[in-house]
Amino acid sequence: MARFEPLPSTVLVTGGAGFIGSHACVELLDHGYEVIVVDDYSNSAPQVFARVERLAGRFVGAVYELDIRDHQALSAVFDRHSVDAVIHLGGFKSVSESARRPVDYYDTNVGGTLSLVRSMQEHGVHRLVYSSSCSVYGDAGSGPLDETTPARPASPYAASKWLCEQILADVCHHRPDYTVLCLRYFNPAGAHPSGLLGEDPRGTPDNLLPFMAQVAVGRRERLRVFGDDYATPDGTAVRDYLHVMDTVEAHRVALDHFADAPGMHVYNLGLGKGTSVLEVVAAFSEACGRPVPYEFAPRRPGDAAALVADVTAVSRAWGWSPTRDLTDMCRDAWRFQRLNPHGYECSARRPEPKDC
Ligand code: WQD
C-alpha cells in the first residue's frame, strides 16, 4: 500500500566522488535533484566534480571532505542541509583487499554505516538507498541468484556488507517509518559515454575492467587472468557485469519508490547474464582495436566461480531493467581510459581531458 510522502528533492550521496558516486551525481543532477556529497577521497579525487558539473550543466549543492565515521563532522552536514534521502556508497569494496585488511573493512564499512544511521536518526532522515553487494552470496553456484539465496559471505568485505544489511533491517524493524532500499550490486563496469567520467581507482586496480583498460592504454604490461580451471565453459570465472550508467539509473529510480512500502527491501542489480573473464578480454580487445595481452595466474583467494543475478525482483517492483550491454561497457570504459590515460590525475594539470 503506497503511503503519501513527498518525493525527496535533496539527496546526500556518501562516496559521491567515487566511481559509482560520481556517475550517480550526474544522474541525480540531470533529474533535478539537489545533491550534497561527502567523501574522504581515499579512493577518489576532487577533480571529478568539475567534470560532473560540466556534464550536468549545474552545480553540486555542496561537497564535504570527511570520513563518515567522524560522527560530529557528518552531523554538521545534516545540520546545514535539509536532507530528504541518503544514497550510501561510501566504503571499501575490494574482495581481495579485504582479506589483507579485515579490521579496516569492518571499521569503515560497518562503523561508517552506523555513524551515518545515527546522524540520520538524529535529524529525522528516514530514507536510505544502501549499496550492498552480490558478494554476500559467497560461492553460491552458477545459476542466476535471486534475493532469497542464503547469504554465505566468503570475505571480510562481503561479511561487512552482510552485517550492514542486518543492522539496517533491525533499524527498520525498530522504526516502522524507515525505508531502506538495499541494492546488491553484481559487477558495475564501464564509464560515462562522454569519456569525462570513469573508473580511476588509486594505486593498482583490483577490478578486471580498470586493470585491463590500463593495460590497453600502455600503463601496465599485461593482464593476469586469475584461474583457468573453474567449472565454467572456458575455465575462467563468470560474473554479471552491469553498466555503471544502468547502475546509477537504478539508484535514481529507487528514490521514486520509498513510498511503496516501509521497511527494508533488497534487490539484485545486474544484467542477468554471465560473462567469463576471457569473454570480457575479447570484448575489450574489440573495443580498443587490439588484443589485450594476458597470462594465466593462480586463482585469487575469495573469488567465486560464478556470480550471476536473477534481476526479476527489481524489474517487477520498479518497472526498471538495464538497457546497456557488455559492448557498451567496454566501449565506454575504453573511451574514458584513452582520453584519460592517467585518470583524473591529468586534469590536475589540465582542466580538460585529452590524450595525455
Ligand atoms: C572479476 C573477475 C577475478 C582482476 C566485484 C567488486 C565488488 C562487488 C562484487 C560490488 C574475477 C577476475 C580480476 C584481474 C582477473 N561489487 N580478475 N584479473 O571480484 O567480482 O568483485 O564485484 O559491490 O565490490 O569488486 O570483481 O573485477 O575484481 O573480478 O582475472 O586483474 O575478474 O578473478 O573472476 P569481483 P573483479
Side-chain angles (χ1 to χ4, degrees), residues 20 92-96 131-135 157 161 183-188 199 205-212 222-227 230 236-241 275-277 280 295 298-300 302-305 307:
I20 308 291
F92 292 155
K93 67 142 194 169
S94 165
V95 170
S96 54
S131 161
S132 188
S133 168
C134 65
S135 57
Y157 164 71
K161 288 298 189 179
L183 305 180
R184 288 179 181 160
Y185 299 179
F186 280 68
N187 288 59
E199 193 163 7
D206 271 299
N207 293 138
L208 177 62
L209 260 296
F211 192 101
M212 187 159 46
R222 67 168 49 96
L223 172 72
R224 291 189 303 152
V225 175
F226 298 135
Y230 285 105
T236 63
V238 171
R239 292 292 183 274
D240 185 334
Y241 297 92
T275 305
S276 75
V277 174
V280 178
E295 63 186 9
R299 293 184 180 190
R300 184 172 65 175
D303 273 352
L307 281 168

Side-chain angles (χ1 to χ4, degrees), residues 74-79 81 83 118-125:
L74 180 61
S75 289
V77 176
F78 281 91
D79 290 338
H81 301 278
V83 174
R118 196 183 298 281
S119 288
M120 290 175 66
Q121 289 184 328
E122 290 164 355
H123 294 83
V125 181

